[in-house]
Amino acid sequence: MTSVTGGARPGYVDHVETWRIVATGSFLLGGLVLVLVGMAQARDRKGARHGDVVRAAVVGLAVVAVVAVLIAYVLPSVVAWGVVAAAAIAVVFITMVD
Protein backbone atom coordinates (compact mmCIF):
# COMPACT_ATOMS: atom_id res chain seq x y z
CA MET A 1 0.00 0.00 0.00
CA THR A 2 1.45 3.35 -1.04
CA SER A 3 1.36 6.24 1.38
CA VAL A 4 0.88 9.85 0.36
CA THR A 5 3.22 10.95 3.11
CA GLY A 6 6.77 11.44 1.99
CA GLY A 7 8.48 10.18 5.09
CA ALA A 8 10.36 13.44 5.59
CA ARG A 9 7.86 14.62 8.18
CA PRO A 10 5.14 12.44 9.67
CA GLY A 11 1.69 13.52 8.55
CA TYR A 12 3.01 15.79 5.81
CA VAL A 13 1.33 15.29 2.45
CA ASP A 14 3.96 15.76 -0.23
CA HIS A 15 1.72 15.82 -3.29
CA VAL A 16 -1.76 16.55 -4.51
CA GLU A 17 -3.17 15.04 -7.68
CA THR A 18 -3.25 17.40 -10.64
CA TRP A 19 -7.00 17.03 -11.14
CA ARG A 20 -7.55 18.26 -7.59
CA ILE A 21 -5.50 21.39 -8.26
CA VAL A 22 -7.40 22.11 -11.48
CA ALA A 23 -10.79 21.44 -9.88
CA THR A 24 -9.97 23.59 -6.85
CA GLY A 25 -8.74 26.46 -9.01
CA SER A 26 -11.80 26.26 -11.23
CA PHE A 27 -14.12 26.22 -8.22
CA LEU A 28 -12.30 29.16 -6.62
CA LEU A 29 -12.71 31.22 -9.77
CA GLY A 30 -16.43 30.50 -10.00
CA GLY A 31 -16.90 30.83 -6.25
CA LEU A 32 -15.31 34.27 -6.17
CA VAL A 33 -17.61 35.43 -8.96
CA LEU A 34 -20.59 34.13 -7.00
CA VAL A 35 -19.38 35.94 -3.87
CA LEU A 36 -19.10 39.19 -5.81
CA VAL A 37 -22.61 38.73 -7.22
CA GLY A 38 -23.91 38.07 -3.70
CA MET A 39 -22.21 41.21 -2.43
CA ALA A 40 -23.74 43.25 -5.26
CA GLN A 41 -27.19 41.86 -4.50
CA ALA A 42 -26.74 42.67 -0.80
CA ARG A 43 -25.74 46.22 -1.72
CA ASP A 44 -28.74 46.67 -4.03
CA ARG A 45 -31.32 45.70 -1.40
CA LYS A 46 -33.44 48.55 -0.14
CA GLY A 47 -32.17 49.77 3.23
CA ALA A 48 -28.91 47.82 2.96
CA ARG A 49 -25.96 49.00 5.02
CA HIS A 50 -22.23 48.51 4.63
CA GLY A 51 -22.33 45.77 7.27
CA ASP A 52 -24.74 43.75 5.15
CA VAL A 53 -22.30 43.72 2.25
CA VAL A 54 -19.39 42.80 4.53
CA ARG A 55 -21.47 40.00 6.08
CA ALA A 56 -22.32 38.65 2.62
CA ALA A 57 -18.62 38.70 1.70
CA VAL A 58 -17.48 36.97 4.89
CA VAL A 59 -20.11 34.24 4.71
CA GLY A 60 -19.58 33.69 0.99
CA LEU A 61 -15.81 33.55 1.24
CA ALA A 62 -16.01 31.16 4.21
CA VAL A 63 -18.25 28.79 2.27
CA VAL A 64 -16.01 28.98 -0.80
CA ALA A 65 -12.92 28.32 1.33
CA VAL A 66 -14.42 25.29 3.07
CA VAL A 67 -15.65 23.75 -0.19
CA ALA A 68 -12.30 24.45 -1.88
CA VAL A 69 -10.45 22.62 0.91
CA LEU A 70 -12.88 19.71 0.62
CA ILE A 71 -12.28 19.55 -3.14
CA ALA A 72 -8.52 19.76 -2.69
CA TYR A 73 -8.23 17.01 -0.08
CA VAL A 74 -11.38 15.01 0.67
CA LEU A 75 -14.06 14.72 -2.00
CA PRO A 76 -13.94 11.94 -4.60
CA SER A 77 -13.45 13.04 -8.18
CA VAL A 78 -17.07 12.65 -9.32
CA VAL A 79 -18.39 14.75 -6.44
CA ALA A 80 -15.63 17.35 -6.79
CA TRP A 81 -16.23 17.83 -10.51
CA GLY A 82 -19.97 17.90 -9.88
CA VAL A 83 -19.50 20.80 -7.45
CA VAL A 84 -17.28 22.58 -9.99
CA ALA A 85 -19.89 22.07 -12.71
CA ALA A 86 -22.67 23.32 -10.45
CA ALA A 87 -20.67 26.46 -9.65
CA ALA A 88 -19.96 27.04 -13.35
CA ILE A 89 -23.63 26.61 -14.25
CA ALA A 90 -24.62 29.00 -11.46
CA VAL A 91 -22.14 31.62 -12.69
CA VAL A 92 -23.35 31.35 -16.29
CA PHE A 93 -27.01 31.43 -15.26
CA ILE A 94 -26.67 34.36 -12.86
CA THR A 95 -24.49 36.48 -15.15
CA MET A 96 -26.59 35.83 -18.27
CA VAL A 97 -30.01 36.45 -16.71
CA ASP A 98 -29.54 40.21 -16.52
Side-chain angles (χ1 to χ4, degrees):
M1 183 156 150
T2 306
S3 172
V4 295
T5 57
R9 291 184 286 186
Y12 176 74
V13 178
D14 62 355
H15 75 280
V16 176
E17 292 101 351
T18 304
W19 72 265
R20 288 190 181 273
I21 296 169
V22 172
T24 303
S26 300
F27 175 76
L28 284 172
L29 182 64
L32 291 178
V33 170
L34 291 173
V35 168
L36 290 174
V37 169
M39 290 172 62
Q41 289 178 348
R43 182 198 64 213
D44 291 343
R45 281 192 203 109
K46 188 173 186 174
R49 297 180 310 235
H50 176 72
D52 298 330
V53 177
V54 171
R55 187 178 314 113
V58 168
V59 170
L61 289 173
V63 169
V64 168
V66 168
V67 174
V69 169
L70 288 174
I71 289 172
Y73 293 109
V74 178
L75 295 177
S77 63
V78 173
V79 176
W81 285 112
V83 171
V84 171
I89 290 168
V91 167
V92 168
F93 181 76
I94 289 172
T95 56
M96 296 298 176
V97 166
D98 275 344

